[in-house]
Amino acid sequence: MTFLLRRAAMAVIAIACLSLGACDKNLVKVSYQQLGNAQSWNLENKSGGDANGMWHIYMLRGVVNDSENAKPFTFDLSKVALKNGAVVTSAGPMLHGAPFMLPVNFKAPVAPKVAYTVPYGSGVMFVIKEDGDTDKTAYTTLTYKSASGESVLMVPLDSKATPAFGQIDQAFLNVLHSKQNTYENTYQPSGDKN
């Protein structure tokens, strides 16, 4: 019984910390936009598909490291994941979308009290393959596999928007990439509107 009471007390403290924001004063916010979903692709004379899975395409918007006790932080794309654990696609057709695609090993050091914004015209998109998903209009949220001592919040932009869907080809990637300028002018790196 004492064990259960202790666990209940710890849960109450954790909830209070989250609601008051008092326990974590070095929170890093990563903002992103889901751009589209697709079950098939056709890039550089290669094509394929998966009727039992979905490629989700995202745009990295910014990394904000400006909390009260901010420490140096390195954003690592390989730590971004879906709630089911699926991580950024490491091989396959999406890498042919360069220069629009971020390399799988993309890292961005962000100093304390600084916001990193992805420069327009550079690699900005990344893809996560989700097996078993067949809903082309599904919106998915991302998590970050934080290391010890890190606290990272993934902030979706326009989370109620229905993402575009279709076959991933170069024209599709061009259209998605063209949205980056819109988000540059509409959102701050923290995900707040300008």
Side-chain angles (χ1 to χ4, degrees):
M1 185 69 167
T2 305
F3 174 74
L4 291 176
L5 288 173
R6 194 175 317 142
R7 292 214 40 161
M10 289 172 61
V12 169
I13 291 170
I15 291 170
C17 287
L18 287 174
S19 63
L20 296 174
C23 296
D24 186 4
K25 296 184 179 180
N26 62 347
L27 180 70
V28 175
K29 293 178 278 185
V30 178
S31 58
Y32 67 94
Q33 168 70 23
Q34 184 172 354
L35 297 177
N37 301 322
Q39 285 184 296
S40 62
W41 51 271
N42 185 352
L43 292 163
E44 294 189 353
N45 299 321
K46 297 177 183 177
S47 62
D50 186 349
N52 296 312
M54 190 71 61
W55 284 282
H56 302 291
I57 305 171
Y58 303 92
M59 178 182 77
L60 178 64
R61 175 63 189 95
V63 182
V64 178
N65 186 18
D66 66 353
S67 59
E68 186 177 329
N69 294 332
K71 299 176 183 175
F73 172 77
T74 298
F75 171 78
D76 185 344
L77 187 60
S78 70
K79 293 183 179 181
V80 174
L82 295 176
K83 289 186 177 180
N84 68 4
V87 296
V88 176
T89 301
S90 60
M94 307 321 148
L95 298 182
H96 296 286
F100 303 153
M101 305 303 290
L102 289 170
V104 174
N105 60 355
F106 175 80
K107 293 182 181 179
V110 186
K113 305 297 182 185
V114 169
Y116 169 82
T117 304
V118 181
Y120 180 68
S122 66
V124 67
M125 294 186 283
F126 60 95
V127 175
I128 297 180
K129 172 78 163 31
E130 183 176 15
D131 293 326
D133 183 15
T134 57
D135 184 355
K136 288 185 179 180
T137 61
Y139 194 89
T140 54
T141 55
L142 299 178
T143 62
Y144 191 85
K145 298 178 178 181
S146 302
S148 177
E150 289 180 341
S151 183
V152 180
L153 176 65
M154 299 296 290
V155 180
L157 305 180
D158 293 339
S159 59
K160 294 183 181 179
T162 302
F165 60 93
Q167 181 184 60
I168 298 172
D169 56 22
Q170 198 59 54
F172 184 63
L173 293 177
N174 290 346
V175 169
L176 295 182
H177 185 255
S178 71
K179 292 184 178 185
Q180 184 183 358
N181 195 37
T182 299
Y183 287 105
E184 285 280 331
N185 294 326
T186 307
Y187 292 98
Q188 298 172 19
S190 64
D192 295 334
K193 289 211 169 192
N194 286 329

